[in-house]
Amino acid sequence: MQSSKGRPHTVGAGQESPVERFDGHDPGAAEEAVRLRYDDPWYDALASGWGESEEAGAPAAVPPARAAGAGGVAAADVYLEVQRSAAFQEVRRRYRRFVVPAFAAFFAWYVGYVVAATTVPELMARPVAGAVNVALVAGLGQFLTTFLLTWAYARHARLRRDRAALELRWDTQELTRGVNGGAS
């Protein structure tokens, strides 16, 4: 079959598209994809569509860590224990030590700009260089400080919180594995 521009509807020279491969034309590849397992403990297999039954009315397979039962209650206790831990509190403290002052400074700068623009228009209209006035410089300064604040936040997170948070993440996963009897 030819399209209106004379090109065939197939992908490439008679090759099937990746979508067709999983539409039931090649069940071996689809089953292989379902058997793949990620080692990341935070990977949610059900959210990605893996683990769901191929039959329309059948319930989806639930991973052992998400199954209801005594393990679920104990896992919740593990998360509460981690939340109360000194390491978790230190990560939160480091986060607040950066975010609260940064928010206060940026919000004050933003409100100051808006208030100045509405209450003292003669100051904001004062030329700086040619057609560039104080309002334009301050407005561009808002963009600049937004980018600088984003960079500073990412740097702070990378240097002061990410490693500790990652260690907490893996420690928590190890604790929940122990609670669930080694199942992941």
Side-chain angles (χ1 to χ4, degrees):
M1 176 185 255
Q2 297 288 323
S3 68
S4 62
K5 294 185 178 185
R7 291 177 294 182
H9 283 284
T10 60
V11 176
Q15 299 172 348
E16 68 179 10
S17 72
V19 174
E20 291 173 348
R21 188 173 52 227
F22 292 108
D23 276 343
H25 297 290
D26 187 7
E31 290 173 9
E32 180 181 328
V34 171
R35 284 193 307 265
L36 291 176
R37 182 178 170 275
Y38 283 93
D39 289 330
D40 184 0
W42 298 94
Y43 179 76
D44 192 355
L46 292 180
S48 69
W50 291 14
E52 296 177 3
S53 176
E54 292 182 12
E55 300 168 7
V62 178
R66 298 204 183 267
V73 173
D77 293 338
V78 167
Y79 287 106
L80 288 173
E81 177 185 335
V82 169
Q83 184 179 7
R84 292 180 189 122
S85 72
F88 183 82
Q89 295 304 320
E90 180 61 25
V91 169
R92 295 295 297 164
R93 191 172 13 265
R94 289 177 184 177
Y95 171 77
R96 283 189 299 266
R97 244 185 271 153
F98 178 84
V99 169
V100 171
F103 169 76
F106 186 77
F107 190 70
W109 160 230
Y110 174 73
V111 169
Y113 172 72
V114 171
V115 168
T118 56
T119 59
V120 284
E122 61 279 353
L123 170 70
M124 299 301 267
R126 183 172 295 153
V128 174
V132 178
N133 60 16
V134 173
L136 184 60
V137 171
L140 292 174
Q142 290 286 320
F143 286 102
L144 178 66
T145 54
T146 300
F147 291 121
L148 287 174
L149 183 61
T150 302
W151 169 81
Y153 177 81
R155 182 176 185 273
H156 179 269
R158 184 181 71 246
L159 295 177
R160 296 202 169 50
R161 292 193 327 264
D162 285 351
R163 184 171 292 137
L166 186 61
E167 288 173 7
L168 272 172
R169 174 182 174 182
W170 290 110
D171 291 345
T172 303
Q173 183 57 35
E174 290 300 318
L175 288 172
T176 56
R177 273 197 190 131
V179 166
N180 291 327
S184 57

